[in-house]
Structures are given as C-alpha cells and as structure tokens.
Amino acid sequence: METNKGIIFDLDGVIVDTAKFHFLAWRKLANDLGFDFTKEQNEQLKGVSRVESLRKILEWGELELSKTEFKRQMALKNENYLSYVAKMDKSEILPGVQKVIDYLIENNIPFALGSASKNARTILKKINLLDEFDAIVDGTDVSKAKPDPEVFLIAAEKLNVKPENSIVFEDSVAGVQAANNANMISIGIGEEKTLGEADYVFNDFTEIDIDFIKKLLTK
Ligand code: G6P
Ligand code: MG
C-alpha cells in the first residue's frame, strides 16, 4: 500500500496488559510504606516514568524518603514488577493487536514502539515481537516524560515519517497528551471518559477493524 503514514504503539496497556502488573507492584510498595492509593490515582501513573511515578505516590502518601531510600524503593518495585514479566509469553499480547501488526507487516507500513518503559525490550522479547518493529524508542532513549512529545517525535523521525502523518495508539492520559502535543493522530485505548482528549477512542483492539486502519492510512 502507498502511504506516507506510520504507526507508533505504546507498550504497557496497549500491546500487553502490563499496566496491571505496574499497578500491583506500585500498590505493594505503597502498602509496605503504610498507605494505599486508588484506581483513579493509578490512571495518573500510566505512561509516566518510574521516577515520576514514585514521586507522585509518595506525595499521595505524604511521605518523604532520603535519596538512597528512594532509589532502593524504585529498585524493589522493579524487581517485583519483573517477577510478573518473567511469566509472560506471546499469549499475553492483547486480543486484536496481532491482527493489526500482521496487516502492517504485510503492507509494508512502518511502525515503531514509543514507550516510557526501560523494560520495553525485555517485554517485547518475551512476547516474540522484538524483531517486528522498524524502530524502538523506550525509557532508555528519552529524557522528558510523557506528556512531553519527545518519545513520539524520536519514533517518527526514526520511521522517517512526519509527525502529522504519525498515528499513535495509547492507553494513558499522559500518552494521549504527548501524541497531541506532537501534532500526531491520537487513538486512545481504554475508556472514553478517561481518554476523551484523543482523536479516536476504542475500548480495546478487538473494536478496531482493518478498514478503519486502512482509512486512516490513506486519508
Ligand atoms: C510505561 C507505564 C508506566 C511505567 C513506565 C516506566 O509508560 O505505563 O506505568 O511506570 O512505563 O516503566 P518501567 O518499566 O521503566 O518501570
Ligand atoms: Mg501505556
């Protein structure tokens, strides 16, 4: 297919449901420190870097940690999170995602990963998708967290696609804002009431049919 467009996928909560593992690991950390946070508050952690997430959580718990303890807690959280990741395989790819990826590959449409996670490559490897992406931009490549557009702008550049021709799939508020800030087409995966700022919102990939993708690519 002739197109000047490219696709950028967020990872956690879009390709795989690791958002639930992040939640479990952060909640354990909070509980161990003597407090809790809500599902609504958790929405604010999606798409947000590890450091920024811990800062927010400590603010909610009205707790201050020394630099050393902060680092130790971050490492503990990641260790706990990775214990869930270790059990993952390609059956964890969310329903409907593979069909879209297969279509992109068959039609030579460039696609990239744009994730805040430093564990992105580990996860892609576990689900056998590491070699499928034309470019991978993750938490090790960026200095500014979503909603800053940096991660998506680098991904588009690597795909050699203009920002306005880039289509981003995101499950987080911060990520949808990052895509909008990059002047890209944003597609929210999740609830309309949370992701209303996106250009389009679907509950999940099973609601997205290939015709919709085709239309976006040929627009
Ligand atoms: C993604 C997730 C966040 C997570 C961030 C950093 O954006 O949505 O919940 O905090 O990545 O992930 P990492 O695997 O590096 O801790
Ligand atoms: Mg996400």
Short mmCIF file of all heavy atoms in Angstrom, two decimals, residues 10 12 22 26 45-50 53 77-78 81 115-119 146, ligand 1:
data_model
loop_
_atom_site.label_atom_id
_atom_site.label_comp_id
_atom_site.label_asym_id
_atom_site.label_seq_id
_atom_site.Cartn_x
_atom_site.Cartn_y
_atom_site.Cartn_z
N ASP A 10 2.27 2.56 21.88
CA ASP A 10 2.72 2.49 23.26
C ASP A 10 2.77 1.00 23.59
O ASP A 10 2.21 0.17 22.85
CB ASP A 10 1.73 3.24 24.15
CG ASP A 10 2.02 3.05 25.62
OD1 ASP A 10 3.18 3.20 26.02
OD2 ASP A 10 1.07 2.72 26.39
N ASP A 12 2.87 -0.71 27.33
CA ASP A 12 2.11 -1.12 28.51
C ASP A 12 0.65 -0.67 28.41
O ASP A 12 0.38 0.52 28.30
CB ASP A 12 2.73 -0.50 29.78
CG ASP A 12 4.15 -0.97 30.01
OD1 ASP A 12 4.35 -2.19 30.09
OD2 ASP A 12 5.06 -0.13 30.11
N HIS A 22 2.17 -3.21 36.75
CA HIS A 22 2.70 -1.97 37.32
C HIS A 22 1.85 -1.58 38.55
O HIS A 22 2.39 -1.23 39.58
CB HIS A 22 2.64 -0.83 36.30
CG HIS A 22 3.78 -0.84 35.32
ND1 HIS A 22 5.09 -0.64 35.69
CD2 HIS A 22 3.80 -1.01 33.97
CE1 HIS A 22 5.86 -0.69 34.61
NE2 HIS A 22 5.11 -0.91 33.55
N TRP A 26 3.28 -1.21 42.29
CA TRP A 26 3.26 0.09 42.98
C TRP A 26 2.41 0.04 44.23
O TRP A 26 2.72 0.63 45.25
CB TRP A 26 2.73 1.20 42.05
CG TRP A 26 3.69 1.71 41.03
CD1 TRP A 26 3.44 1.84 39.68
CD2 TRP A 26 5.03 2.21 41.23
NE1 TRP A 26 4.54 2.37 39.05
CE2 TRP A 26 5.52 2.61 39.97
CE3 TRP A 26 5.84 2.34 42.36
CZ2 TRP A 26 6.80 3.14 39.80
CZ3 TRP A 26 7.12 2.86 42.19
CH2 TRP A 26 7.58 3.25 40.93
N LEU A 45 -0.61 7.37 36.86
CA LEU A 45 0.73 6.76 36.78
C LEU A 45 1.00 6.15 35.41
O LEU A 45 2.14 5.93 35.02
CB LEU A 45 0.87 5.65 37.83
CG LEU A 45 0.68 6.05 39.29
CD1 LEU A 45 0.85 4.82 40.18
CD2 LEU A 45 1.68 7.13 39.69
N LYS A 46 -0.08 5.90 34.66
CA LYS A 46 0.09 5.27 33.35
C LYS A 46 0.86 6.18 32.40
O LYS A 46 0.57 7.37 32.32
CB LYS A 46 -1.27 4.90 32.75
CG LYS A 46 -1.95 3.75 33.50
CD LYS A 46 -3.23 3.33 32.82
CE LYS A 46 -3.87 2.17 33.59
NZ LYS A 46 -5.21 1.84 33.05
N GLY A 47 1.82 5.61 31.71
CA GLY A 47 2.60 6.39 30.75
C GLY A 47 3.70 7.23 31.39
O GLY A 47 4.51 7.83 30.71
N VAL A 48 3.70 7.27 32.71
CA VAL A 48 4.63 8.12 33.45
C VAL A 48 5.87 7.31 33.85
O VAL A 48 5.76 6.15 34.22
CB VAL A 48 3.90 8.68 34.70
CG1 VAL A 48 4.83 9.45 35.60
CG2 VAL A 48 2.72 9.54 34.28
N SER A 49 7.03 7.94 33.79
CA SER A 49 8.28 7.22 34.07
C SER A 49 8.32 6.67 35.50
O SER A 49 7.55 7.09 36.36
CB SER A 49 9.48 8.14 33.86
OG SER A 49 9.48 9.13 34.86
N ARG A 50 9.26 5.76 35.73
CA ARG A 50 9.38 5.12 37.03
C ARG A 50 9.63 6.14 38.15
O ARG A 50 8.95 6.14 39.17
CB ARG A 50 10.52 4.09 36.99
CG ARG A 50 10.42 3.01 38.03
CD ARG A 50 11.57 2.02 37.90
NE ARG A 50 11.68 1.42 36.58
CZ ARG A 50 12.74 0.74 36.15
NH1 ARG A 50 13.78 0.57 36.95
NH2 ARG A 50 12.77 0.22 34.94
N SER A 53 6.61 8.33 38.74
CA SER A 53 5.55 7.57 39.40
C SER A 53 5.78 7.52 40.91
O SER A 53 4.86 7.77 41.70
CB SER A 53 5.48 6.14 38.86
OG SER A 53 5.26 6.13 37.49
N LYS A 77 10.51 -2.06 43.59
CA LYS A 77 9.30 -2.07 42.74
C LYS A 77 9.60 -2.77 41.43
O LYS A 77 8.83 -3.60 40.96
CB LYS A 77 8.80 -0.64 42.51
CG LYS A 77 7.52 -0.56 41.69
CD LYS A 77 7.77 -0.44 40.20
CE LYS A 77 6.50 -0.53 39.37
NZ LYS A 77 6.76 -0.37 37.94
N ASN A 78 10.75 -2.42 40.83
CA ASN A 78 11.06 -3.00 39.53
C ASN A 78 11.29 -4.51 39.63
O ASN A 78 10.88 -5.27 38.76
CB ASN A 78 12.28 -2.31 38.91
CG ASN A 78 12.37 -2.59 37.43
OD1 ASN A 78 11.37 -2.49 36.71
ND2 ASN A 78 13.54 -2.99 36.96
N TYR A 81 7.92 -6.04 39.88
CA TYR A 81 7.28 -5.94 38.56
C TYR A 81 7.85 -7.00 37.61
O TYR A 81 7.11 -7.70 36.91
CB TYR A 81 7.49 -4.52 38.01
CG TYR A 81 7.03 -4.34 36.58
CD1 TYR A 81 5.68 -4.38 36.26
CD2 TYR A 81 7.95 -4.12 35.55
CE1 TYR A 81 5.25 -4.22 34.95
CE2 TYR A 81 7.54 -3.95 34.25
CZ TYR A 81 6.18 -4.01 33.95
OH TYR A 81 5.77 -3.85 32.65
N SER A 115 7.59 3.97 24.07
CA SER A 115 7.21 3.64 25.44
C SER A 115 8.11 4.32 26.45
O SER A 115 9.30 4.54 26.17
CB SER A 115 7.32 2.12 25.63
OG SER A 115 7.30 1.77 27.00
N ALA A 116 7.58 4.63 27.63
CA ALA A 116 8.39 5.23 28.69
C ALA A 116 9.18 4.17 29.46
O ALA A 116 10.02 4.48 30.30
CB ALA A 116 7.48 5.98 29.65
N SER A 117 8.90 2.90 29.16
CA SER A 117 9.47 1.84 29.98
C SER A 117 10.90 1.49 29.63
O SER A 117 11.27 1.38 28.47
CB SER A 117 8.61 0.57 29.84
OG SER A 117 9.25 -0.51 30.49
N LYS A 118 11.69 1.29 30.69
CA LYS A 118 13.06 0.82 30.49
C LYS A 118 13.08 -0.69 30.33
O LYS A 118 14.11 -1.29 30.05
CB LYS A 118 13.93 1.24 31.68
CG LYS A 118 14.09 2.74 31.75
CD LYS A 118 15.03 3.19 32.84
CE LYS A 118 15.30 4.68 32.68
NZ LYS A 118 15.92 5.30 33.83
N ASN A 119 11.93 -1.32 30.55
CA ASN A 119 11.83 -2.77 30.39
C ASN A 119 11.22 -3.17 29.04
O ASN A 119 10.90 -4.34 28.82
CB ASN A 119 10.95 -3.35 31.51
CG ASN A 119 11.56 -3.15 32.89
OD1 ASN A 119 12.70 -3.55 33.13
ND2 ASN A 119 10.83 -2.52 33.80
N LYS A 146 6.36 11.58 29.01
CA LYS A 146 5.03 11.95 28.50
C LYS A 146 4.33 12.74 29.62
O LYS A 146 4.52 12.38 30.77
CB LYS A 146 4.20 10.69 28.19
CG LYS A 146 4.79 9.81 27.10
CD LYS A 146 4.05 8.47 27.03
CE LYS A 146 4.74 7.52 26.05
NZ LYS A 146 4.14 6.18 26.01
C1 G6P B 1 5.03 2.86 31.00
C2 G6P B 1 3.95 2.54 32.01
C3 G6P B 1 4.20 3.19 33.34
C4 G6P B 1 5.62 2.89 33.80
C5 G6P B 1 6.62 3.41 32.77
C6 G6P B 1 8.05 3.09 33.16
O1 G6P B 1 4.81 4.11 30.48
O2 G6P B 1 2.68 2.94 31.54
O3 G6P B 1 3.27 2.72 34.27
O4 G6P B 1 5.89 3.48 35.05
O5 G6P B 1 6.35 2.79 31.53
O6 G6P B 1 8.23 1.70 33.11
P1 G6P B 1 9.46 0.90 33.68
O7 G6P B 1 9.23 -0.48 33.15
O8 G6P B 1 10.69 1.53 33.13
O9 G6P B 1 9.40 0.99 35.15
#
